[in-house]
């Protein structure tokens, strides 16, 4: 068998003035491994590079150096390939998926020596209208907020969570929380009417700090879905904190839950869905789970509390 190549896909501008990217490249050079670095220049480059480098069929570990968007690009290129394993190196941006591995995850995933020696597991992957996701798909006001964040990032002194808060206030106070939606499962119609939130979880975290289903597992073959029907502004503002902490079971009068492998949602007006940070727009979405579709590796000493029997490869 050929030795494993270690490919780092990196945005050279990551971090303040590219300092984080430069520091990471210095660390990569010191690794006693067969390494390569490919730099991205524009959106979609990470997926293209991952596909190109995977084509030879030799054993390959890909390090998506960046945030959830970079990881999502690499997942879309590598899912289903037995010779390719994927991980995420947090560089200068948000990394919601890695929070699955605990409060020390960001620091530990930046330790390239520990990460390169880490074990591999098989994770489930979501397919939403052809776009693959590893973490969470949202399709309510939370999705519209995520899609609008970029409109506020250019305001002087507004960064990160500040842009998210402004987008949240804009959508909740001025644009309206609820939109018509029809949601169907394999058993039939789940819900039809004005909808505030539809959240479909393979992982646990999104939106920088929300954890709607604390016991969601990326390897159990099940999607954990939450739906919030029409609510007013005051109810929404009272509920959003508990929702973000995963306390949905305390509020069955407001939050409906379903656990399964697929769901379809549609509307006459265009819907916004966000797949691990990737914004999509359509009148209808079909989302299906593909069990054990992606090889993912992580540092020794970390865990995501897997179900018994999850294979370590």
């Amino acid at each position: 068998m050929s030795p494993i190549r270690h490919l780092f896909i990196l945005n050279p501008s990551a971090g303040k003035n590219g300092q984080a990217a430069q520091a990471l490249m210095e660390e990569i050079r010191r690794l006693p491994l067969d390494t390569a670095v490919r730099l991205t220049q524009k959106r979609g480059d990470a997926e293209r590079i991952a596909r190109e480098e995977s084509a030879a069929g030799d054993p390959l570990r890909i390090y998506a150096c960046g945030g959830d968007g970079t990881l999502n690009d690499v997942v879309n290129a590598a899912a289903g390939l037995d010779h390719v394993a994927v991980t995420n190196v947090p560089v200068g941006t948000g990394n919601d998926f890695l929070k699955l591995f605990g409060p020390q995850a960001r620091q530990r995933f930046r330790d390239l020596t520990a990460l390169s020696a880490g074990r591999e597991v098989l994770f489930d992957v979501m397919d939403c209208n052809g776009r693959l996701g590893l973490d969470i798909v949202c399709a309510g006001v939370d999705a519209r907020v995520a899609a609008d964040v970029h409109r506020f990032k250019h305001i002087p002194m507004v960064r990160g969570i500040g842009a998210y808060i402004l987008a949240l206030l804009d959508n909740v106070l001025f644009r309206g929380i609820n939109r018509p939606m029809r949601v169907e499962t394999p058993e039939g119609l789940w819900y039809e009417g004005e909808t505030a939130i539809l959240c479909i979880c393979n992982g646990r975290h999104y939106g920088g700090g929300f954890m709607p289903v604390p016991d969601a597992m990326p390897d159990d073959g099940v999607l954990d879905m939450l739906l919030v029907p029409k609510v007013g502004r005051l109810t929404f503002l009272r509920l959003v904190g508990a929702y973000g902490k995963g306390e949905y079971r305390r509020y069955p009068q407001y939050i409906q839950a379903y656990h399964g492998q697929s769901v379809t949602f549609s509307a006459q007006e265009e819907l916004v869905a966000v797949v691990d940070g990737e914004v999509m727009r359509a009148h209808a979405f079909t989302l299906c789970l593909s069990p054990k579709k992606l090889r993912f590796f992580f540092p020794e000493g970390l865990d995501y509390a897997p179900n018994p029997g999850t294979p370590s490869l």
Side-chain angles (χ1 to χ4, degrees):
M1 178 181 290
S2 302
I4 297 175
R5 289 185 66 231
H6 297 258
L7 171 68
F8 294 80
I9 300 178
L10 174 64
N11 178 349
S13 301
K16 186 177 181 180
N17 300 321
Q19 293 175 356
Q22 185 60 43
L24 183 62
M25 284 192 279
E26 291 297 326
E27 292 179 46
I28 294 169
R29 292 189 186 101
R30 293 196 293 267
L31 288 173
L33 302 169
D34 180 4
T35 63
V37 177
R38 294 283 304 271
L39 303 179
T40 63
Q41 299 296 332
K42 60 184 183 300
R43 189 173 182 176
D45 275 359
E47 182 175 351
R48 175 184 58 79
I49 292 169
R51 291 188 187 279
E52 291 174 357
E53 297 283 351
S54 301
D58 297 323
L60 180 66
R61 280 190 162 190
I62 302 180
Y63 301 71
C65 304
D68 292 300
T70 306
L71 175 60
N72 180 257
D73 275 353
V74 173
V75 166
N76 274 267
L81 300 180
D82 291 336
H83 65 288
V84 179
V86 171
T87 196
N88 187 197
V89 180
V91 184
T93 185
N95 299 88
D96 279 329
F97 182 73
L98 294 188
K99 294 173 183 176
L100 180 80
F101 294 90
Q104 300 301 316
R106 186 174 180 87
Q107 176 184 348
R108 294 296 308 282
F109 273 81
R110 274 292 278 112
D111 182 343
L112 299 187
T113 300
L115 183 56
S116 64
R119 67 186 179 102
E120 297 179 11
V121 294
L122 287 171
F123 279 166
D124 305 335
V125 172
M126 302 174 289
D127 184 325
C128 183
N129 280 20
R131 187 69 188 178
L132 303 184
L134 193 58
D135 193 13
I136 287 179
V137 175
C138 58
V141 65
D142 46 355
R144 299 193 298 277
V145 168
D148 287 347
V149 165
H150 72 279
R151 296 195 296 114
F152 298 94
K153 285 185 175 179
H154 305 294
I155 299 175
M157 306 303 291
V158 174
R159 295 289 185 274
I161 189 64
Y164 188 88
I165 291 172
L166 288 176
L168 177 66
L169 293 174
D170 182 44
N171 277 272
V172 171
L173 298 180
F174 302 110
R175 295 173 177 263
I177 297 169
N178 308 289
R179 295 288 189 278
M181 189 183 296
R182 179 182 176 89
V183 186
E184 300 172 86
T185 71
E187 289 80 18
L189 180 65
W190 177 11
Y191 176 83
E192 186 170 18
E194 294 284 317
T195 306
I197 289 176
L198 175 63
C199 181
I200 304 159
C201 304
N202 187 49
R204 295 191 198 125
H205 301 85
Y206 79 122
F210 288 87
M211 183 178 61
V213 183
D215 50 358
M217 296 297 299
D219 64 353
D220 63 359
V222 176
L223 293 170
D224 301 287
M225 312 180 205
L226 301 181
L227 187 148
V228 179
K230 181 180 180 180
V231 293
R233 290 188 181 90
L234 291 179
T235 299
F236 180 85
L237 292 173
R238 287 199 307 267
L239 189 66
V240 67
Y243 168 84
K245 295 176 183 177
E247 299 175 355
Y248 69 94
R249 293 184 180 90
R250 292 178 53 197
Y251 300 92
Q253 70 274 35
Y254 295 120
I255 306 176
Q256 301 179 19
Y258 173 82
H259 308 278
Q261 289 190 320
S262 64
V263 66
T264 298
F265 48 99
S266 59
Q268 291 187 346
E269 62 181 79
E270 187 177 65
L271 295 171
V272 176
V274 177
V275 183
D276 294 358
E278 182 75 17
V279 178
M280 303 177 67
R281 302 177 190 273
H283 289 276
F285 291 90
T286 297
L287 193 150
C288 299
L289 188 71
S290 296
K292 305 292 189 288
K293 194 71 171 179
L294 180 82
R295 302 171 75 95
F296 190 92
F297 63 101
F298 57 94
E300 294 292 343
L302 291 185
D303 210 338
Y304 59 100
N307 294 328
T310 296
S312 179
L313 306 181

